[in-house]
Amino acid sequence: MMRAWILSLSLGLLSAGAQASLLKTDCNLDKALKNEAVNATLGVKGNCDTSKLVKQEKEKVKAEVQKGRTDLLGEKRADLKESGNGMQQKMDKANHQLHKAEQDVKTITRDPVKAAATAVLDKQ
């Protein structure tokens, strides 16, 4: 009894595997052309025909376009992040220059003669 059960289970698995491999065949141009010729001469339609081939190729192209779009968006995001870091450095530098200019204005307003003398000495 156990032998019969194991035998039927293994046969079932083998047949399911064989059917899955038959249903999952990759359709290419040669197969599609052969099946179209057989269909035209004998009237027997195969698993791979030109419409299936076109549909399969369309899906491949769609997947490639989506992958390219995703890659391009990733690159642009990285570029924006990098330029954002550069922009932050420029903003920090501008803030530093503004702070220095404010200090210079305060120094000049406190003692204009000393500020002028310092400016003349710094230029030399």
Side-chain angles (χ1 to χ4, degrees):
M1 181 70 170
M2 186 63 130
R3 253 187 184 172
W5 186 79
I6 291 174
L7 182 61
S8 64
L9 179 64
S10 60
L11 285 176
L13 290 174
L14 285 174
S15 66
Q19 288 174 1
S21 68
L22 288 176
L23 295 176
K24 272 300 220 188
T25 58
D26 193 29
C27 191
N28 60 30
L29 185 59
D30 288 337
K31 288 181 185 178
L33 291 176
K34 286 177 186 176
N35 282 336
E36 289 293 333
V38 169
N39 187 23
T41 57
L42 301 175
V44 178
K45 196 165 187 170
N47 188 23
C48 177
D49 60 356
T50 52
S51 63
K52 182 177 179 182
L53 178 64
V54 168
K55 182 179 177 185
Q56 179 180 320
E57 291 301 314
K58 182 180 172 184
E59 291 297 319
K60 284 181 183 177
V61 168
K62 186 177 177 181
E64 285 295 318
V65 167
Q66 183 63 33
K67 182 182 180 296
R69 182 181 294 150
T70 303
D71 292 347
L72 182 63
L73 285 173
E75 288 174 13
K76 291 299 178 185
R77 283 186 182 130
D79 289 346
L80 285 173
K81 186 176 180 182
E82 188 175 308
S83 68
N85 288 341
M87 186 63 76
Q88 184 63 42
Q89 290 173 350
K90 288 178 183 178
M91 287 175 50
D92 290 344
K93 185 177 178 182
N95 282 336
H96 178 72
Q97 289 173 345
L98 180 63
H99 183 69
K100 184 170 178 357
E102 286 175 350
Q103 287 178 340
D104 290 345
V105 168
K106 286 180 184 177
T107 303
I108 291 171
T109 55
R110 279 190 219 124
D111 192 358
V113 176
K114 182 178 178 183
T118 304
V120 169
L121 291 175
D122 286 344
K123 282 190 176 184
Q124 292 178 356

